């Protein structure tokens, strides 16, 4: 006659399954790089590059007169910034 699983057995199974799900977490984790003695997450640098790129596009478009003919300026500059941030991410930290 088989006995029902005890509470201890269920805890060990839950612990083992929890540890197995953590195998994807490693020390490498998210890409980071040392900058002025501190490790910076790569996404912060890419976000900063994207913001600076959007500001640069805004200045260039104002100087060229292109800004006046844009219908959705905010979306255009945000899109250009996100595009540049993702491009830097893919080129520098991508596979």
């Amino acid at each position: 006659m088989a006995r029902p699983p005890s509470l201890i057995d269920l805890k060990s199974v839950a612990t083992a399954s929890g540890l197995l799900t953590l195998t994807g977490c490693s020390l490498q984790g998210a890409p980071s790089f040392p900058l002025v003695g501190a490790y910076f997450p790569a996404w912060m640098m890419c976000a900063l590059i994207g913001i600076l790129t959007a500001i640069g596009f805004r200045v260039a478009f104002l100087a060229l007169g292109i800004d006046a003919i844009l219908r959705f300026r905010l979306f255009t500059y945000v899109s250009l910034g996100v595009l540049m941030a993702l491009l830097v991410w893919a080129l520098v930290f991508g596979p």
Side-chain angles (χ1 to χ4, degrees):
M1 180 169 182
R3 63 181 181 119
S6 68
L7 187 59
I8 295 174
D9 292 338
L10 292 176
K11 281 185 177 179
S12 62
V13 169
T15 302
S17 64
L19 289 175
L20 287 175
T21 59
L22 293 177
T23 57
C25 300
S26 65
L27 292 178
Q28 293 178 353
S32 62
F33 54 93
L35 185 66
V36 195
Y39 283 95
F40 266 84
W43 67 268
M44 280 182 154
M45 183 59 82
C46 292
L48 181 65
I49 290 171
I51 291 169
L52 293 176
T53 301
I55 292 171
F57 273 114
R58 167 91 169 146
V59 170
F61 285 179
L62 282 173
L64 296 173
I66 298 173
D67 186 69
I69 59 172
L70 293 176
R71 293 188 134 209
F72 302 105
R73 292 183 182 115
L74 177 64
F75 295 117
T76 301
Y77 295 123
V78 169
S79 298
L80 288 171
V82 168
L83 183 67
M84 187 56 67
L86 293 176
L87 183 66
V88 169
W89 178 274
L91 291 176
V92 176
F93 301 106

